[in-house]
Amino acid sequence: MFGKLKEKATQLAADKVGGSNIDEIMQAHWPKVEAILVEKLVAVAGDKLNQPGYIDSFFENGYEFLPAPVRMMLPKEKFVAYCVTKKEPLLLKANEKLAELA
């Protein structure tokens, strides 16, 4: 029952938000999202950050840490795709933070 409702809500959100608007939304909220992702990256840091494919799966899991209203408006696939475009700066910030803690 709720699965169909979630699918419909996700589809409506994807249709309503549209491709170019997602970039605008993500750019507007990127500092908050980036802080969450860097914090979580540092927590799981180490050799895992440099393993191929790990960071992409991290973005998929990182989606779950976003506030519920954001997840309702932003499809997971679009979030992951946007994060992948910002992968290098995120890794750089996570490595800098790790160096500070060491």
Side-chain angles (χ1 to χ4, degrees):
M1 178 175 146
F2 290 111
K4 288 183 181 181
L5 182 62
K6 182 181 177 188
E7 284 179 29
K8 184 168 178 127
T10 302
Q11 183 60 42
L12 288 173
D15 291 343
K16 186 176 182 182
V17 173
S20 62
N21 290 338
I22 286 178
D23 286 339
E24 293 170 11
I25 291 168
M26 288 298 294
Q27 286 175 3
H29 297 285
W30 184 247
K32 293 176 189 174
V33 171
E34 182 181 51
I36 291 169
L37 292 175
V38 168
E39 177 186 330
K40 300 300 179 186
L41 275 172
V42 169
V44 298
D47 294 334
K48 290 182 180 183
L49 289 180
N50 299 318
Q51 291 177 358
Y54 177 79
I55 194 74
D56 296 334
S57 66
F58 172 82
F59 290 143
E60 290 178 16
N61 294 331
Y63 177 81
E64 304 303 324
F65 293 108
L66 298 176
V70 175
R71 290 193 318 257
M72 292 292 292
M73 296 265 318
L74 185 65
K76 187 176 194 175
E77 298 80 22
K78 303 267 184 181
F79 172 78
V80 171
Y82 189 86
C83 289
V84 167
T85 65
K86 303 287 189 178
K87 181 179 0 182
E88 295 304 319
L90 278 171
L91 288 174
L92 182 63
K93 286 188 178 193
N95 286 324
E96 287 173 358
K97 196 160 193 156
L98 276 172
E100 291 174 9
L101 296 174

